[in-house]
Amino acid sequence: MGKRPVTLFTGQWADLTFEEICKKASSWGYDGLEIACWGDHMDLERAATDPAYVENRKSILEKYDLKCWALGAHLEGQCVGDLYDSRLDGFAPDSCKGDPEKIRAWGIKQMTFAPTAARNMGCYTVTGFTGSPVWKFWYSFPQTTEKMVEDGYKEIFDLWTPIFDRFDAEGVTFSLEVHPTEIAFDYYTAKKLLEVFKYRKTLGFNFDPSHLIWQGVKPHLFIRDFGDRIYHVHMKDAAVTLDGRAGILGSMLTFGDNRRGWNFRSLGHGHVDFEEIIRELNNIGYSGPLSVEWEDSGMEREYGAREAAQFVKKVDFEPSNIAFDDALRS
């Protein structure tokens, strides 16, 4: 297993054209991109149906000596399984605005295109979200019954099973980012989701430690226990800064506000132990990309993205192929 490629997730850079982010990422030292399917970076329907469009995307990547191992369809996937509120209007086309059924139908259609688009781009997985019909009920007041939770998981199962059938037909996996607002947002909800889908191989995880650490979940143990389901990896940091005033739920303060109990941070500026993560990834034989999802409201983003690429290259190391005490044997 050689050193893993270092990629940049383009979701936070969708204000730039695809060529602009390719040029910048190449200059910052990235090996490739995890291409977000919004902005002008990737149109799932065109990538699934138009060979000329795919060749255009590939030619731009090649121009800047970049590769692509994964597409990111987080916004489209959220529209499939989420319980509607007006925030979803920003993810779907204007023609769907205010209409939950249209938004869901659009999301399902896009996610049906996703595995074909990924295969055409030469990718092995699509990262993303599923949405959740029950996330809004997590606090259980007014009381959330066990039946409501079970019904929520069944709804996700029913919505995503036909989509996963399309993924299987194309030989592409889906990597769910375990994340607040998703049906799987921590250790036990992730375990339950795998059980509901009867450990269907199509469904794995886009491991992202930044969403686990502030919840009190030790990220490296998530890798250890779900090793055969880690299909993609986000490199992203977060700092927990509880000071006796701030609460762990964020106090309805915007990201970047220093009064918050936790914030996303540029890599190496938070509290995630990346050495433990690399050791666990080595242990499970993960050879896929280490994808930087850059989010830090307190740092200039181009400085942060460049620094993050170098951080990942420095922190990543190959496992040993010998026992350290072999040389002591006669």
Side-chain angles (χ1 to χ4, degrees), residues 234-278:
H234 269 183
M235 297 292 275
K236 187 173 162 195
D237 212 339
V240 180
T241 52
L242 298 171
D243 62 1
R245 297 187 187 92
I248 200 65
L249 303 183
S251 309
M252 300 298 282
L253 299 170
T254 58
F255 285 122
D257 191 317
N258 289 335
R259 296 173 297 168
R260 279 177 58 96
W262 66 274
N263 265 304
F264 296 125
R265 292 274 182 90
S266 193
L267 286 165
H269 296 273
H271 296 144
V272 173
D273 188 336
F274 286 101
E275 176 163 336
E276 288 300 319
I277 286 170
I278 295 301

Side-chain angles (χ1 to χ4, degrees), residues 41-99:
H41 294 187
M42 179 60 56
D43 182 315
L44 286 169
E45 183 170 357
R46 291 184 67 187
T49 60
D50 183 356
Y53 178 82
V54 172
E55 286 309 308
N56 172 265
R57 299 290 100 169
K58 287 182 175 180
S59 68
I60 295 173
L61 288 168
E62 186 176 357
K63 178 179 178 181
Y64 296 101
D65 197 25
L66 298 171
K67 293 183 171 60
C68 178
W69 289 267
L71 303 183
H74 297 67
L75 307 189
E76 295 85 351
Q78 191 73 18
C79 292
V80 173
D82 224 26
L83 181 63
Y84 173 79
D85 65 53
S86 60
R87 295 174 298 172
L88 279 184
D89 290 346
F91 291 173
D94 289 343
S95 59
C96 300
K97 187 174 181 178
D99 190 324

Side-chain angles (χ1 to χ4, degrees), residues 138-157:
W138 71 268
Y139 188 70
S140 294
F141 186 85
Q143 293 90 326
T144 303
T145 66
E146 290 186 20
K147 183 178 186 304
M148 291 171 72
V149 175
E150 294 301 322
D151 287 349
Y153 275 89
K154 183 173 188 307
E155 184 174 341
I156 291 296
F157 178 84

